[in-house]
Amino acid sequence: MKLLFLLFVGIVLYLIAKGYKTEKFENIKLNVKEKFDGDLMNHEAGLLVALMAKVAKADGQVCDLEAEMLKHTFTDISRHFENSDEIREKLKVIYSKEKESFDNTLEICEKLYKITKNHYQKRVKIIEYLLNLAFIDKEFSQTEFMIAEDIANALKIKRTDFENLINAFENFYREQKENKALSLDKAYEVLESNKDDDNNTLKKNYRKLVKQYHPDIVSGQGASQSIIDDATKKLQEINEAYELIKKDRGI
């Protein structure tokens, strides 16, 4: 259906634009609502959630980011139905049931293919969404690859399209990791520290710099306004660097 196609596209594009920060997920607003009282395992919504369950459990566990994405998916899909609360609960039941076994994965794909047979790009977006779920913990295991590959083949996704999607996600997370490394290097430089320093040494260096650049202290030394302004900017940089390192170290 056009409705869910727009939903898939919107979610994927939003996540890409936001760097997959699911805590900032923005609901997609559509005015048209569907009334559905049948078996959701004969509907795109239920079949998508069923496949999400397979992918989420492919590596044996569901991380916090995956759980957050699943929660938002249940909410946003159900919002496009008149009986949204009922649909959301049914989607949760489908997820709980389908994550227990991979035995019926191809059967689910066959149903979804019949519904989307004439909409190839929709199926590509479905695979893109499933890969997003698999990559969201920044690890793409061999098991996740295998289940995604089986689904892609069953949905008759061209091999080149499947590989291009995987390459796009791998490049995205590689660049993200490299940018983080560069940011951390800069943060240690700002704190006049290095990665081998223990937490106590890091804290001492931070406190020393805060005393050196705190605008009240600089002002008390009779500095000019321009020097005070520079010190204020430097202190902000010091605080940001310290918070980044603390987050990276988990302290």
Side-chain angles (χ1 to χ4, degrees):
M1 295 176 60
K2 184 178 181 181
L3 175 62
L4 284 181
F5 176 61
L6 291 174
L7 174 64
F8 300 146
V9 174
I11 290 174
V12 172
L13 291 179
Y14 177 82
L15 291 173
I16 291 173
K18 290 295 183 182
Y20 307 107
K21 295 180 180 178
T22 56
E23 70 274 11
K24 295 182 179 180
F25 192 95
E26 179 177 286
N27 290 333
I28 302 164
K29 297 177 176 61
L30 292 176
N31 294 324
V32 180
K33 290 183 180 289
E34 176 187 355
K35 178 68 175 178
F36 186 80
D37 295 317
D39 183 356
L40 279 174
M41 287 300 287
N42 293 318
H43 190 287
E44 286 177 66
L47 296 171
L48 170 64
V49 169
L51 291 180
M52 289 179 69
K54 311 300 186 186
V55 172
K57 288 293 287 185
D59 58 0
Q61 58 184 356
V62 179
C63 74
D64 290 342
L65 285 174
E66 288 173 324
E68 184 76 3
M69 183 175 172
L70 288 162
K71 180 181 74 174
H72 288 305
T73 300
F74 297 154
T75 299
D76 276 280
I77 289 179
S78 62
R79 284 181 66 251
H80 303 294
F81 292 85
E82 292 179 7
N83 50 334
S84 59
D85 291 342
E86 178 187 356
I87 294 295
R88 192 178 195 282
E89 291 307 309
K90 286 184 176 181
L91 292 176
K92 288 167 64 177
V93 170
I94 287 173
Y95 174 79
S96 296
K97 177 183 177 182
E98 296 302 329
K99 71 178 182 179
E100 299 302 323
S101 172
F102 297 105
D103 293 344
N104 63 337
T105 302
L106 295 182
E107 178 185 340
I108 292 169
C109 291
E110 288 172 1
K111 283 187 176 183
L112 188 54
Y113 178 76
K114 288 180 181 178
I115 295 174
T116 61
K117 185 175 181 179
N118 298 321
H119 302 282
Y120 178 74
Q121 287 304 318
K122 180 187 290 189
R123 299 200 303 279
V124 171
K125 286 299 179 183
I126 291 172
I127 290 296
E128 185 173 3
Y129 191 69
L130 294 174
L131 286 172
N132 177 24
L133 179 63
F135 271 94
I136 204 166
D137 62 353
K138 299 179 176 60
E139 297 290 339
F140 188 50
S141 68
Q142 183 62 30
T143 306
E144 288 173 319
F145 171 81
M146 290 171 63
I147 191 73
E149 183 180 43
D150 286 345
I151 293 171
N153 288 337
L155 293 180
K156 303 188 186 307
I157 303 299
K158 297 174 185 176
R159 186 70 186 185
T160 53
D161 289 336
F162 178 65
E163 292 177 350
N164 285 341
L165 286 172
I166 290 178
N167 289 336
F169 279 106
E170 287 178 340
N171 290 336
F172 175 86
Y173 282 106
R174 185 183 304 111
E175 291 175 6
Q176 191 179 67
K177 185 176 181 180
E178 290 171 354
N179 290 337
K180 180 181 178 182
L182 290 173
S183 297
L184 280 172
D185 288 343
K186 177 63 177 177
Y188 280 107
E189 181 183 328
V190 168
L191 290 187
E192 299 179 3
S193 306
N194 62 68
K195 294 181 179 179
D196 295 328
D197 290 338
D198 59 28
N199 293 340
N200 288 333
T201 300
L202 187 70
K203 185 180 292 186
K204 288 178 182 178
N205 292 345
Y206 168 70
R207 288 178 174 175
K208 179 192 72 174
L209 291 168
V210 168
K211 290 179 181 178
Q212 181 179 344
Y213 289 100
H214 198 287
D216 291 343
I217 296 175
V218 174
S219 176
Q221 296 170 347
S224 65
Q225 187 59 48
S226 63
I227 293 177
I228 295 173
D229 291 342
D230 288 342
T232 301
K233 292 178 182 178
K234 181 66 176 178
L235 181 61
Q236 181 179 356
E237 185 180 20
I238 290 166
N239 285 330
E240 290 175 353
Y242 189 49
E243 288 302 316
L244 180 63
I245 294 172
K246 285 200 302 180
K247 183 177 180 180
D248 182 65
R249 292 189 176 200
I251 60 176

